[in-house]
Amino acid sequence: MKRLLCILLAIPLSLQATTEQDEGYRSPPQIIADLVDAPRAPGVTVSDDKKWLAFMERPSTQTLAELAQPEEKLAGLKINPTIFAPSRAQGYKGIRIKSVDGSVDTTLNNLPQGKIMDVSFAPDSQKLAFVLENEQGLTLWVYHLANKRLHKASDRFISASLRGEKYLWLDDSSGLYTRLTVASADARPKQTLAATKPVIQTTDGKKAAVRTYSDLLKSPYDEALFEFLTRSQLARIDLSGKVTLLGEAGMISEYAPSPDGQYLLVSQLQKPFSYMVPYSRFPELIEVWNTSGKVVKTLAKLPSGETIPKGFDSVREGPRDVHWRADVAATLVWAEALDGGDMSKEIAHHDAVYSLAAPFSAEPSEMLRLERRYSGIQWGNQSLAVVSEWRFSDRMLRSWKFQPADPKAQWVLFQERSYNDRYKDPGSFVRQRNQYGQSVIKIDNASQVYLSGRGASPQGNVPFLERYDFSNANKERLWQSEAPYYEQVMLVLDDKVSKLLTMRESQTEQPNFFVRDLSSGKLDKFSDFPHPSPGFVGISKERIQYQRADGVALNGTLYLPPGYDKSQGPLPVLMWAYPREFKDKDVASQVKDSPYEFVRVSYWGPMPHLAQGFAVFDDPTMAIVGDGDAEPNDSFRTQLVQSAEAAVKTLVDKGIADPNRIAIGGHSYGAFMVANLLAHSDLFKAGIARSGAYNRSLTPFGFQGEERSFWEAQDVYSTMSPFFHAEKINEPMLMLHGEDDPNSGTYPMQSERMFAALKGLGGKARLVMLPHEQHGYRARESLLHMLWEQHQWLETHVKTAK
């Protein structure tokens, strides 16, 4: 009898497994499904003379068929081998051009069939170029604003397998630089059994503590295919269609003309390839060519980056971040490590910055020496530029004003702050085009610059525009957003800095562009985008501040369903969060948004579930703080649970949350958080974990903000890994993951092994693997199914749970 009972109990389980396998794609209730098809904000590009804007219409989603197109995964790249381009590319489906004064508003009709990408105005602001992708390949097209003529620049196909600019305008707008394909797709190397041989790797005694990478080369055939798909020919195409080939074909990864248009900076990948690191760390040849394609100067031959020292601010030795100075005709600038690339070494200066001017026959000269790691230069003119340096150990960022004409002259400190510190962020420099057509810092009266920024504060973000004088550090606030609106400066439209293009919104009014005249006070609406989620009108929004047990101040944003009143009693709650590491608890406590921002309801986050009657607590601070010499992750679990406890207590004390009906959700590192909270607390009824990592021993040379290796911090790795504590997870957990997730550390195996552990231990879990999806999900079918899974999980295990 007992044996018969076991058989009878087994039958429903097997039937259930079969049913789930045959379910196929599902769709949530219509009000939630509508979010997937809602209109998206357009892409925007602006002409150099700031008189024209091009709006690019985005499709709502991609289709599963688009994601299922041919794909080769090689050296960290995903390439469509039939068209020599990135696979799964997202493009636009329409272009509309509007003059800033409102006198012209033109929609481009009869556009060719395919995906429109990389839209840009010519330097003369009279032409617009874009790349068209279709089944045949990538081609360049040009639109003339004066006569509304659209034509294909050339019948030759573009090679875009390697990332970087697909094309660049010539400085006189007479044509474009691009990379062309050098072979047809059917000439690809063939893999034969006779050529198959063992793949052997050996160590050489040098440390090569590389992080966990995906889609690396694995065989000689991979090497041959990678080279075939990434070889290209640099070319110049004039507007009459004439094609001029430049130099020899090669694996050209980057190219950039000098500001005066007389030279080209060209970078090419070299052999030998690596099976340990992605293409960005392959050997590299950096050269200067003239505009005929002749090599003028070989600047560097960089070896493989396999042996870059461990650490987030460690770098490859030799020239890096090589670029043209934007304020002069033809001068190269780059940084080089003085510490062997190892920031942990205790030396006075870690980086030097060098320059070399045309004709490149002299020796490079040292411009600057930096105490920390170089992170870039913003050029203005010969008297003013800003260089930045940073360090990961204390998260500090520092920027200095210096004189490019005399870089040894006294520097002026512009900012020094934690790069997590929003309140001390000075904003971004307003920029303008110089005589070379290059974007540089706008400077008035030799020392005055302009800054626009978010204006983060304890009261929320208050975007601003101000004038800053380097000679005396005086600030003059020219404009700032005023309640009940949230308004950001998108672009300064005139030389007097009195006319602005802004994006304006309120809690109930969707974002739209406006033209604001500071001198007259006039405000004109420039766009009229529709409400993206009319089914969710009436949602209430409130920023809540609270404190956890150790005194760290936290905050999050509470959303309530339309029409909710506290007299209706507590609600089920969905909390959605993402942990972040800090070295300063005051910085961790900072407010991240504005109470006046539009209530955006996207299919991607937790907001759709307001339609189920849930309250949503979005982005409650999950601060992981490491004071002094302590690393944040030394007490990750304790701080994570304390943060969650404080959030739950706050919602319950406010009478909003039913303590027995609270779910926790998150994506990526947020999914890692979900599993940890289910394992180490009893605060939540269920969890939703998307594209997560659960076993940190599978990422042994660091992860997220953890620099130490597994062998340096085994206790940290094991304590933080919910896989090692799966037996403690006694709440239902829904896991979703893209089958093709290439993200470092979140291989699909992470979710598969976690599910196997929970199943073997008798836990309650559901694993959904989404075909053709990566770390984020793009296909309409996948997104609808994701929402259906989440809806069903919350209905079953939280909303109506006993």
Side-chain angles (χ1 to χ4, degrees):
M1 182 67 182
K2 185 179 290 186
R3 181 172 179 272
L4 178 60
L5 178 60
C6 290
I7 293 172
L8 291 173
L9 288 173
I11 290 174
L13 292 175
S14 63
L15 287 175
Q16 181 184 12
T18 302
T19 301
E20 289 181 355
Q21 186 176 355
D22 295 338
E23 279 178 352
Y25 288 98
R26 306 291 293 273
S27 184
Q30 193 62 47
I31 188 173
I32 296 178
D34 286 344
L35 295 173
V36 175
D37 297 320
R40 296 182 61 195
V44 181
T45 189
V46 184
S47 63
D48 283 3
D49 63 5
K50 300 179 182 178
K51 294 182 179 180
W52 301 93
L53 270 73
F55 294 100
M56 288 80 75
E57 183 184 359
R58 303 179 194 269
S60 299
T61 58
Q62 291 182 279
T63 65
L64 200 61
E66 288 180 86
L67 301 190
Q69 289 178 347
E71 182 178 73
E72 294 290 349
K73 303 172 186 178
L74 301 165
L77 294 172
K78 291 179 180 290
I79 303 170
N80 183 331
T82 64
I83 58 173
F84 297 88
S87 60
R88 308 162 181 258
Q90 290 181 294
Y92 304 108
K93 60 180 183 179
I95 301 175
R96 174 187 172 198
I97 298 176
K98 188 173 181 180
S99 60
V100 171
D101 64 10
S103 62
V104 178
D105 190 345
T106 302
T107 298
L108 273 62
N109 297 315
N110 302 317
L111 288 169
Q113 290 295 312
K115 296 178 183 177
I116 297 166
M117 299 179 289
D118 299 86
V119 181
S120 72
F121 284 96
D124 65 5
S125 302
Q126 294 303 304
K127 293 175 277 291
L128 189 78
F130 61 86
V131 171
L132 181 80
E133 178 188 305
N134 56 29
E135 294 180 355
Q136 286 72 48
L138 273 60
T139 49
L140 263 173
W141 293 71
V142 176
Y143 176 79
H144 299 257
L145 275 66
N147 58 18
K148 299 183 180 181
R149 183 170 70 93
L150 175 67
H151 67 97
K152 188 191 296 186
S154 168
D155 289 329
R156 295 289 299 270
F157 290 114
I158 293 174
S159 173
S161 296
L162 288 173
R163 295 166 188 159
E165 302 288 354
K166 293 186 178 68
Y167 68 90
L168 291 169
W169 279 101
L170 272 67
D171 59 343
D172 63 0
S173 304
S174 65
L176 310 105
Y177 288 113
T178 190
R179 295 171 293 183
L180 301 176
T181 58
V182 295
S184 62
D186 56 11
R188 62 183 288 168
K190 306 299 181 185
Q191 189 170 23
T192 63
L193 183 61
T196 303
K197 58 184 179 181
V199 176
I200 301 171
Q201 301 181 67
T202 61
T203 63
D204 57 6
K206 296 179 181 179
K207 290 184 178 180
V210 297
R211 297 193 76 183
T212 306
Y213 295 107
S214 61
D215 300 334
L216 300 179
L217 301 182
K218 301 180 180 67
S219 68
Y221 174 73
D222 281 356
E223 293 188 56
L225 186 57
F226 176 83
E227 183 174 9
F228 172 79
L229 291 174
T230 59
R231 280 181 62 82
S232 63
Q233 173 70 61
L234 194 60
R236 182 172 58 249
I237 303 176
D238 67 27
L239 296 184
S240 67
K242 179 183 176 182
V243 177
T244 304
L245 304 182
L246 306 175
E248 300 293 328
M251 293 176 283
I252 299 171
S253 54
E254 294 181 29
Y255 59 100
S258 58
D260 65 359
Q262 299 303 304
Y263 300 95
L264 288 162
L265 176 63
V266 181
S267 298
Q268 301 181 65
L269 302 181
Q270 302 285 286
K271 293 180 177 180
F273 299 144
S274 171
Y275 291 10
M276 293 184 62
V277 294
Y279 82 99
S280 58
R281 290 197 183 186
F282 284 0
E284 186 176 7
L285 173 65
I286 305 175
E287 297 174 323
V288 179
W289 297 2
N290 63 21
T291 53
S292 297
K294 181 181 178 181
V295 177
V296 175
K297 173 72 175 180
T298 298
L299 185 68
K301 294 181 178 179
L302 300 177
S304 170
E306 284 185 357
T307 57
I308 292 176
K310 180 174 63 65
F312 293 139
D313 42 21
S314 293
V315 295
R316 178 157 52 179
E317 291 188 84
R320 70 179 197 279
D321 190 24
V322 184
H323 65 281
W324 296 108
R325 263 184 66 172
D327 61 327
V328 293
T331 296
L332 291 171
V333 177
W334 66 90
E336 290 193 40
L338 301 174
D339 54 12
D342 187 354
M343 191 70 173
S344 66
K345 289 184 179 178
E346 295 187 7
I347 58 176
H349 297 90
H350 287 272
D351 267 353
V353 178
Y354 298 91
S355 70
L356 180 63
F360 316 107
S361 55
E363 290 297 313
S365 62
E366 183 180 303
M367 288 187 71
L368 312 167
R369 282 207 168 201
L370 302 172
E371 294 180 23
R372 302 170 186 176
R373 188 64 79 211
Y374 168 85
S375 66
I377 294 177
Q378 299 186 70
W379 300 102
N381 56 28
Q382 288 275 33
S383 300
L384 193 157
V386 176
V387 62
S388 298
E389 56 181 344
W390 75 294
R391 182 170 57 205
F392 180 79
S393 60
D394 56 7
R395 279 54 167 187
M396 291 303 292
L397 172 68
R398 190 161 60 182
S399 299
W400 305 87
K401 176 256 184 187
F402 73 99
Q403 299 178 45
D406 185 11
K408 305 302 180 185
Q410 183 180 4
W411 294 9
V412 177
L413 183 64
F414 174 59
Q415 66 163 316
E416 184 170 22
R417 64 182 177 93
S418 165
Y419 60 68
N420 297 128
D421 191 339
R422 300 175 182 85
Y423 294 176
K424 292 183 180 179
D425 184 351
S428 301
F429 292 110
V430 172
R431 308 181 74 84
Q432 65 181 11
R433 297 285 176 179
N434 64 10
Q435 69 269 34
Y436 301 110
Q438 303 295 303
S439 176
V440 296
I441 299 171
K442 177 176 172 54
I443 304 167
D444 285 344
N445 302 320
S447 63
Q448 293 179 342
V449 298
Y450 299 86
L451 295 156
S452 66
R454 295 176 299 180
S457 73
Q459 291 73 44
N461 294 342
V462 184
F464 67 90
L465 174 70
E466 69 183 17
R467 182 187 292 116
Y468 179 80
D469 196 327
F470 273 108
S471 65
N472 54 23
N474 282 344
K475 297 179 182 179
E476 180 187 359
R477 186 61 57 97
L478 304 177
W479 171 86
Q480 69 179 32
S481 181
E482 294 182 0
Y485 291 98
Y486 180 76
E487 188 173 359
Q488 307 171 72
V489 176
M490 309 305 291
L491 185 68
V492 174
L493 294 171
D494 67 339
D495 194 54
K496 295 180 180 179
V497 194
S498 62
K499 198 171 184 180
L500 314 175
L501 181 72
T502 69
M503 179 70 82
R504 191 172 190 245
E505 61 193 90
S506 71
Q507 278 201 18
T508 57
E509 296 176 42
Q510 63 269 30
N512 267 292
F513 286 106
F514 286 77
V515 174
R516 177 177 287 280
D517 191 322
L518 298 182
S519 57
S520 67
K522 189 178 180 182
L523 182 68
D524 294 318
K525 193 173 185 180
F526 189 75
S527 65
D528 192 17
F529 303 140
H531 195 295
S533 51
F536 288 80
V537 171
I539 292 168
S540 68
K541 171 185 175 181
E542 178 187 3
R543 187 178 68 249
I544 297 177
Q545 296 177 301
Y546 52 102
Q547 195 173 70
R548 75 184 188 193
D550 61 359
V552 175
L554 309 173
N555 63 84
T557 305
L558 176 65
Y559 297 92
L560 298 174
Y564 172 75
D565 185 271
K566 282 188 178 181
S567 63
Q568 299 172 18
L571 293 171
V573 174
L574 173 59
M575 286 173 47
W576 199 271
Y578 190 95
R580 289 178 173 84
E581 303 90 350
F582 300 88
K583 290 295 290 181
D584 184 330
K585 67 178 182 180
D586 292 332
V587 172
S589 304
Q590 292 181 351
V591 175
K592 301 180 286 294
D593 60 4
S594 165
Y596 306 115
E597 288 180 81
F598 180 64
V599 179
R600 293 170 174 81
V601 182
S602 164
Y603 58 72
W604 188 244
M607 302 289 280
H609 304 290
L610 289 161
Q612 286 177 258
F614 276 75
V616 167
F617 198 34
D618 190 32
D619 201 19
T621 311
M622 295 290 175
I624 313 298
V625 184
D627 287 322
D629 294 332
E631 291 295 328
N633 285 339
D634 291 346
S635 53
F636 175 88
R637 263 173 41 187
T638 300
Q639 294 192 64
L640 184 68
V641 172
Q642 284 183 346
S643 296
E645 287 174 339
V648 168
K649 183 177 186 303
T650 298
L651 296 180
V652 172
D653 289 348
K654 285 178 68 68
I656 296 296
D658 177 347
N660 296 311
R661 293 190 297 162
I662 303 177
I664 182 69
H667 188 90
S668 191
Y669 206 52
F672 177 74
M673 170 204 72
V674 168
N676 266 299
L677 287 173
L678 295 185
H680 304 297
S681 77
D682 289 313
L683 297 166
F684 303 103
K685 194 72 175 178
I688 298 172
R690 298 193 323 219
S691 298
Y694 309 101
N695 182 351
R696 285 305 173 191
S697 70
L698 298 177
T699 54
F701 287 105
F703 59 90
Q704 203 68 13
E706 180 57 64
E707 282 193 300
R708 295 168 294 185
S709 74
F710 173 81
W711 296 273
E712 295 171 299
Q714 290 191 34
D715 288 346
V716 170
Y717 275 67
S718 60
T719 300
M720 289 181 67
S721 296
F723 180 82
F724 292 178
H725 308 276
E727 80 283 0
K728 302 173 187 174
I729 297 178
N730 53 13
E731 298 89 4
M733 184 163 71
L734 170 65
M735 290 185 288
L736 299 101
H737 213 126
E739 283 187 351
D740 293 336
D741 188 351
N743 194 49
S744 177
T746 58
Y747 290 138
M749 179 180 67
Q750 288 270 6
S751 288
E752 292 166 347
R753 293 297 88 206
M754 189 65 182
F755 176 77
L758 292 172
K759 183 175 182 179
L761 293 165
K764 190 169 186 63
R766 180 177 172 92
L767 173 62
V768 180
M769 302 299 292
L770 297 170
H772 305 296
E773 295 290 358
Q774 299 187 13
H775 192 60
Y777 320 139
R778 295 185 180 181
R780 182 176 185 274
E781 298 90 332
S782 302
L783 294 169
L784 290 171
H785 189 78
M786 173 194 78
L787 291 168
W788 180 83
E789 291 282 358
Q790 292 176 177
H791 180 274
Q792 294 300 111
W793 199 254
L794 293 172
E795 284 287 323
T796 304
H797 298 291
V798 183
K799 185 177 179 180
T800 60
K802 295 182 181 179

